[in-house]
Amino acid sequence: MAASAGSTGSTEVTIGGRRFRLRGEDPKLLRRLAREVDETIRALAGGGAADDPRVAVLAALNFAGDRDELEARAKGAAEEIRRRAAALRRRLERLREAGVPSS
């Protein structure tokens, strides 16, 4: 995947053998994301036509699945943090009730 920043504030990238001119606040981020999409499309095409719309749909499904997995992991981590914080609050309350001074 090749990419270059133009003087008009757009970033040119190549994904699946096709050129796209994208606009965004962070050209470096656009190039990195385009490179990731290009690599995924090429891997899914397996030497076939990377510009086949079906390959783009498969890539989109892969990205959506990855996002769902990350959201589930983040939700699990947030729940674990809430659980641990509640346990620490209960422990602190027991210590206060026992008369242990806090610093």
Side-chain angles (χ1 to χ4, degrees), residues 22-40:
L22 307 174
R23 290 187 182 272
E25 293 183 15
D26 188 347
K28 193 174 185 178
L29 175 63
L30 286 174
R31 286 189 293 272
R32 184 178 61 79
L33 295 174
R35 187 172 29 259
E36 184 177 339
V37 171
D38 183 62
E39 289 169 359
T40 299

Side-chain angles (χ1 to χ4, degrees), residues 6 44 60 95:
L44 289 169
L95 289 172

Side-chain angles (χ1 to χ4, degrees), residues 31-92:
R31 286 189 293 272
R32 184 178 61 79
L33 295 174
R35 187 172 29 259
E36 184 177 339
V37 171
D38 183 62
E39 289 169 359
T40 299
I41 285 177
R42 290 184 183 284
L44 289 169
D51 63 350
D52 184 334
R54 294 175 293 185
V55 176
V57 169
L58 290 174
L61 289 171
N62 277 347
F63 289 125
D66 290 347
R67 186 207 61 225
D68 281 352
E69 181 182 330
L70 289 172
E71 285 177 352
R73 289 173 53 192
K75 182 179 177 182
E79 289 172 2
E80 177 66 13
I81 290 168
R82 282 191 291 276
R83 186 188 67 74
R84 288 182 181 196
L88 287 171
R89 280 191 297 273
R90 288 189 300 273
R91 185 174 178 191
L92 180 58

